[in-house]
């Protein structure tokens, strides 16, 4: 993009860039992207400072809270995640939900910069290393979840999540009718992520402090 394309009076088609199919002012997006990078670094450091014992204790509170928040799980198709970078570890709860009759699903990257698919997970399922070396079910037909449990790095007051920055969840959630529940640690609250047109808000969240949040529909 030429340096003066966004000068006053320039044709509108040169004043915006298409990001995720949405027209976005490039200067605004540069500012937002810079802010999000700084917040990610700060939040990663705060998460690391919790230490192993703190991470385990908060993960346990999240799992207990999910059990109370979600009610009966039998027959539900629930997308979860395999923990990376000290994310909440829900694997014990995943196994309990499987025993309770839920179809537990894990996300799989099948194409870079595309929506995720979800495959059935059970404690004894064969796993392989997927994108970023994250364990995923080795085989299985794609299944559409009716509930997505999404990991939070940051969370604002309107229910928008700050993730790892790959954009996979937002691309995926845009095409789903599923309820979205975020899970994150007690220090993940921020005032705003400065949501962009492609950001998808959640309906509820469960934090490692034991706090449960609900967000009004926009």
């Amino acid at each position: 993009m030429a340096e003066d394309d966004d000068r006053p009076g320039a044709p509108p088609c040169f004043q915006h860039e298409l990001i995720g199919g949405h027209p976005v002012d490039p200067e605004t997006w540069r500012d937002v992207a810079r802010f999000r990078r700084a917040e990610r670094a700060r939040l990663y450091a705060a998460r690391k400072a919790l230490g192993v014992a703190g991470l385990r204790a908060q993960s346990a509170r999240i799992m207990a809270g999910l059990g109370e928040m979600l009610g009966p799980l039998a027959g539900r198709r629930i997308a979860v995640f395999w923990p990376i970078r000290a994310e909440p570890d829900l694997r014990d709860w995943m196994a309990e939900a499987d025993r309770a009759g839920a179809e537990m699903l894990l996300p799989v990257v099948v194409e870079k910069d595309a929506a995720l698919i979800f495959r059935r997970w059970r404690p004894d399922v064969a796993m392989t290393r997927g994108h970023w070396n994250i364990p995923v079910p080795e085989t299985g037909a794609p299944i559409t979840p009716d509930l997505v449990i999404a990991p939070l790095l940051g969370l604002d007051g309107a229910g928008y999540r700050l993730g790892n920055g790959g954009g996979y969840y937002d691309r995926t959630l845009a095409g789903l009718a599923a309820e979205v529940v975020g899970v994150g640690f007690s220090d993940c609250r921020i005032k705003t992520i400065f949501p962009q047109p492609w950001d998808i808000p959640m309906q509820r969240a469960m934090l490692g402090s034991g706090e449960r949040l609900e967000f009004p529909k926009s």
Side-chain angles (χ1 to χ4, degrees):
M1 195 170 191
E3 187 176 337
D4 60 350
D5 280 345
D6 57 351
R7 66 192 186 283
C13 61
F14 292 114
Q15 292 180 351
H16 292 80
E17 295 176 347
L18 282 178
I19 301 178
H22 301 277
V24 177
D25 175 70
E27 288 191 0
T28 298
W29 173 235
R30 280 194 293 269
D31 290 343
V32 171
R34 187 178 300 116
F35 165 81
R36 290 185 179 184
R37 283 194 297 271
E39 281 298 278
R40 284 189 182 99
R42 181 184 68 81
L43 291 166
Y44 278 132
R47 177 190 289 178
K48 186 177 180 180
L50 290 172
V52 173
L55 294 171
R56 286 178 178 167
Q58 293 208 27
S59 291
R61 282 194 289 270
I62 290 170
M63 289 188 284
L66 284 175
E68 297 172 4
M69 173 189 284
L70 299 178
L73 300 178
R76 301 204 68 179
R77 302 184 305 277
I78 305 175
V80 283
F81 58 91
W82 199 268
I84 61 170
R85 304 186 73 175
E87 289 174 336
D89 188 346
L90 307 183
R91 286 175 289 183
D92 287 345
W93 179 80
M94 289 159 54
E96 290 178 9
D98 173 73
R99 290 192 294 270
E103 285 189 79
M104 304 306 291
L105 314 174
L106 283 177
V108 180
V109 175
V110 292
E111 182 181 345
K112 187 178 179 182
D113 298 330
L116 301 162
I117 68 165
F118 298 93
R119 290 180 182 157
R120 179 72 185 273
W121 174 88
R122 304 196 74 169
D124 59 352
V125 74
M127 303 283 279
T128 188
R129 294 283 176 176
H131 197 56
W132 292 314
N133 270 332
I134 301 172
V136 299
E138 188 171 14
T139 59
I143 299 174
T144 301
D146 57 58
L147 170 65
V148 176
I149 308 294
L152 306 173
L153 181 55
L155 167 69
D156 74 11
Y160 288 96
R161 62 183 290 275
L162 186 67
N164 292 322
Y168 285 97
Y169 269 93
D170 286 319
R171 295 186 198 98
T172 305
L173 296 176
L176 296 177
E179 179 186 10
V180 185
V181 175
V183 294
F185 294 120
S186 56
D187 55 9
C188 71
R189 303 288 293 276
I190 59 178
K191 185 175 181 180
T192 182
I193 72 162
F194 295 101
Q196 300 301 297
W198 57 85
D199 289 311
I200 306 296
M202 300 170 298
Q203 285 75 53
R204 296 189 282 178
M206 183 71 223
L207 303 187
S209 59
E211 187 177 9
R212 304 180 203 175
L213 304 170
E214 294 195 13
F215 305 103
K217 292 184 178 180
S218 55

